[in-house]
Amino acid sequence: MKYTSAVLLGGAASVVSAGAFCSDAVQDILGNYFCPGGVKQIKYGGLDIPGKYRAVAKMDNSGTCTFEDRPYSGPIAPYDEGLSMHFRGPLHLTNVAVYTPGKGKRDAPKVVHSKRHGHQHLHKKHHEHKKERAVGDEVVATIDGQVVSWINTYAGPTADPVADSAPAAVTPPAASPAESQPAQDTKPAGSNQVKTPVDNTPITGDFVRSAYYSSADAVADGLVFLANVGSPGVSGTWDTVWGSSLAYVNDEGAAAAASPTVLKDKLLDDTQEIAIFSDAPCDGSCGATRPGSVAYKGFEGASKVFVVEFTMPDSGKSGSGQNMPAYWLLNAAIPRTAQYAECSCWKGDNSSPLQGGCGELDVVEILSPGDTRAKSTFHFANGIGDSHYIDRPVSAPMVVAVVMDAASSTVSIKVLNDFGFPTSLTSDQVQNMVNDEKNVNLLSLLSFGQ
C-alpha cells in the first residue's frame, strides 16, 4: 500500500511532485513522474474542503464572457455538481453505467429516463397494467404532469385513484431541447423533459442504474452522446469567436447529428472525442450556456457511481496529440460554455484551475503518444494527482469504477475484475468498490490537504 497526504499540483498540467509518492519515481521527458509498477486502485480521501470557483455569468457569440464567484461546500464538492463523461481515442467504449442512490419510498418519487435503442430509432415502452399490487411491486403513475414511481408498501387496495387508473404517460423524447440561451434567458424545459416509464422490475438495491450504454446491444438509456462538433442547421453552432459548440454527435462519433443517436460498436480514432451527458435537457439550474449550443444536465449528486468498460488500443501513431487515449469527468458547465476556449469555469478568468476551477477529474489519461501508463489527476482549487498509474488496456477490455461517496468524502478509482452492469446495486456492492484493494501493492491512497 502506498499512502500520502495530498501533493498539490503546481500547474494546470498533470505534472506532480514525486517525492511524497514513492522514492524511486521516474520523470519522463514531459516532466511527468511515474512510480514503478501499475496499481488497481487509486483512492482519494478528505474531499470536503469549502471553496469557490469562477463561474461564467454571461456568454454571447460576440465574444462577451463575464464571470462571478460561486461558493461550494460539503462532501465531494464541487464534484457533487453535474458531471459529464468524456472519452478520447484511440478508445473502444463497450459499456457505460451510472448509478445514483435509489428512491424506494412512496414519498420520494423518481423521474424516469428515456430509453433509446440502436439504428437511431427512439422506442418508448408504454405499460398499462391494471391489477392489484403486491407489497414490493413498483407503482408508476402520472402526478401533476410528472411520471413518478415508488415501491408499494400497502397490502390492501390502493387509495390512489390516479395510480390505479391512469396509464403511464409518454412524452416526446429528449431529442430536441431548445437551443441554449444565456443564463438570464433560459427557461425550465418543462414538458420537453423525457419521463417515460421504466420496466416494471422492482428496484432491490440501494443504487439505481440511472444511465446505461451497451455497444453490443446498441442501447442507450438515460444518456445522450454529444461532441464539440456544432454545425448550424444540423445541431449546435459554430463561429470564429468560440469555435464549435456541443452538438448531437452521429453514430460514428465524427460529426453533428440532428437528434440523439447511439454510438456504434466501434473504435474512436486518435482525433475523436465524445461526451456523455444525462438525458435531462438544461433548465435555469444549468447557469450560463453558450447560445445555440445543445445543452443537457450532467450526472448530479454527492454520491454516484460511474462504471465504464473500454479498451485503449495502440494506434501506432506518434504525432502530437495522437495515440493518447483518455477518460475524464468534467463539471458539465465547462463544455456547455466553451471546453476549449477561454470562457468556462475550468479556470474562470484566472491563470490556473488552482485559482478557482470548477472541477475536472482525469480518471485514466495517457500523457504521451504510445505510453501504457494511465494517470489520474484532480484539477480544481485543491487539485492533486498521483504518480502511481493504471496499466493501459491495450488488447483486452478493462472495467473501471469511479465511486464518489459522500458519507466518507472519498473518491475511489478502481479496476474491477468482474462486473455485469446490473440495473441496481446494493450498498454493500458499492462499498466493495470503495474498499481497499486486497493486494496492498496494487493500492495507492491519497488525502486532500487543507
Side-chain angles (χ1 to χ4, degrees):
M1 177 175 66
K2 298 94 172 175
Y3 179 82
T4 180
S5 295
V7 173
L8 300 182
L9 293 177
S14 300
V15 180
V16 298
S17 170
F21 290 90
C22 53
S23 60
D24 49 354
V26 176
Q27 187 177 24
D28 68 10
I29 60 173
L30 299 178
N32 300 297
Y33 285 93
F34 294 91
C35 297
V39 298
K40 295 292 187 182
Q41 183 183 16
I42 301 173
K43 190 172 177 179
Y44 299 87
L47 184 51
D48 189 358
I49 305 172
K52 64 181 179 180
Y53 62 80
R54 300 289 285 159
V56 175
K58 182 179 179 181
M59 178 185 190
D60 64 33
N61 289 331
S62 70
T64 297
C65 182
T66 60
F67 296 86
E68 60 186 3
D69 285 341
R70 182 166 298 171
Y72 59 82
S73 62
I76 310 301
Y79 294 86
D80 57 337
E81 299 181 13
L83 301 180
S84 50
M85 310 172 71
H86 297 258
F87 303 89
R88 179 177 68 224
L91 184 146
H92 185 187
L93 189 63
T94 49
N95 284 287
V96 173
V98 180
Y99 296 88
T100 50
K103 306 294 185 183
K105 297 180 180 179
R106 186 184 178 93
D107 61 353
K110 66 175 171 42
V111 176
V112 263
H113 297 275
S114 67
K115 180 171 287 186
R116 292 190 307 285
H117 297 266
H119 313 294
Q120 297 104 56
H121 294 299
L122 306 181
H123 300 291
K124 296 183 284 285
K125 293 189 175 180
H126 190 152
H127 300 288
E128 299 185 10
H129 300 300
K130 289 184 66 176
K131 63 180 181 180
E132 290 189 356
R133 303 179 183 89
V135 173
D137 284 352
E138 185 180 47
V139 180
V140 179
T142 304
I143 301 175
D144 295 329
Q146 297 280 318
V147 179
V148 298
S149 64
W150 61 86
I151 300 301
N152 183 44
T153 59
Y154 177 46
T158 178
D160 185 354
V162 175
D164 273 341
S165 59
V170 177
T171 59
S176 301
E179 288 187 336
S180 69
Q181 301 295 326
Q184 62 270 27
D185 298 326
T186 303
K187 295 181 174 61
S191 61
N192 289 334
Q193 186 172 356
V194 179
K195 308 176 192 72
T196 54
V198 295
D199 294 341
N200 286 330
T201 303
I203 292 174
T204 58
D206 297 321
F207 279 67
V208 181
R209 193 180 72 188
S210 56
Y212 176 64
Y213 164 68
S214 167
S215 64
D217 296 330
V219 171
D221 178 10
L223 55 81
V224 291
F225 288 98
L226 306 179
N228 291 300
V229 291
S231 178
V234 183
S235 68
T237 190
W238 177 91
D239 58 43
T240 58
V241 178
W242 305 119
S244 292
S245 76
L246 283 176
Y248 299 115
V249 67
N250 65 13
D251 60 3
E252 296 285 348
S259 61
T261 67
V262 180
L263 182 69
K264 285 183 177 179
D265 188 4
K266 60 156 291 180
L267 175 69
L268 297 174
D269 69 31
D270 301 57
T271 66
Q272 291 179 288
E273 286 187 11
I274 62 166
I276 293 176
F277 286 72
S278 81
D279 67 349
C282 264
D283 54 26
S285 66
C286 286
T289 57
R290 179 177 172 181
S293 177
V294 174
Y296 281 83
K297 294 183 178 181
F299 300 101
E300 301 173 346
S303 290
K304 50 199 169 192
V305 180
F306 301 88
V307 187
V308 180
E309 182 179 44
F310 57 91
T311 53
M312 293 176 163
D314 187 340
S315 68
K317 298 179 180 179
S318 58
S320 176
Q322 295 186 320
N323 204 3
M324 295 170 56
Y327 157 39
W328 69 105
L329 303 171
L330 287 178
N331 187 311
I334 297 171
R336 286 196 299 256
T337 50
Q339 183 176 348
Y340 292 114
E342 294 293 319
C343 188
S344 81
C345 61
W346 188 79
K347 64 179 181 66
D349 53 357
N350 298 298
S351 61
S352 164
L354 290 172
Q355 297 174 322
C358 57
E360 172 182 346
L361 168 56
D362 300 325
V363 181
V364 282
E365 180 184 23
I366 300 299
L367 299 176
S368 59
D371 202 345
T372 59
R373 300 167 296 183
K375 296 286 290 289
S376 166
T377 307
F378 277 84
H379 300 273
F380 75 123
N382 296 94
I384 63 173
D386 193 6
S387 290
H388 296 97
Y389 64 88
I390 293 173
D391 288 316
R392 174 179 175 174
V394 175
S395 58
M398 177 173 70
V399 178
V400 174
V402 177
V403 180
M404 298 187 173
D405 179 41
S408 63
S409 300
T410 295
V411 177
S412 172
I413 300 171
K414 193 174 188 178
V415 178
L416 304 183
N417 294 325
D418 185 32
F419 191 76
F421 294 87
T423 57
S424 63
L425 297 172
T426 67
S427 56
D428 286 343
Q429 288 174 308
V430 176
Q431 187 61 52
N432 285 337
M433 295 180 185
V434 178
N435 288 343
D436 292 353
E437 164 67 37
K438 293 180 180 179
N439 185 339
V440 296
N441 293 316
L442 301 179
L443 169 66
S444 178
L445 297 177
L446 298 92
S447 177
F448 289 91
Q450 291 286 353

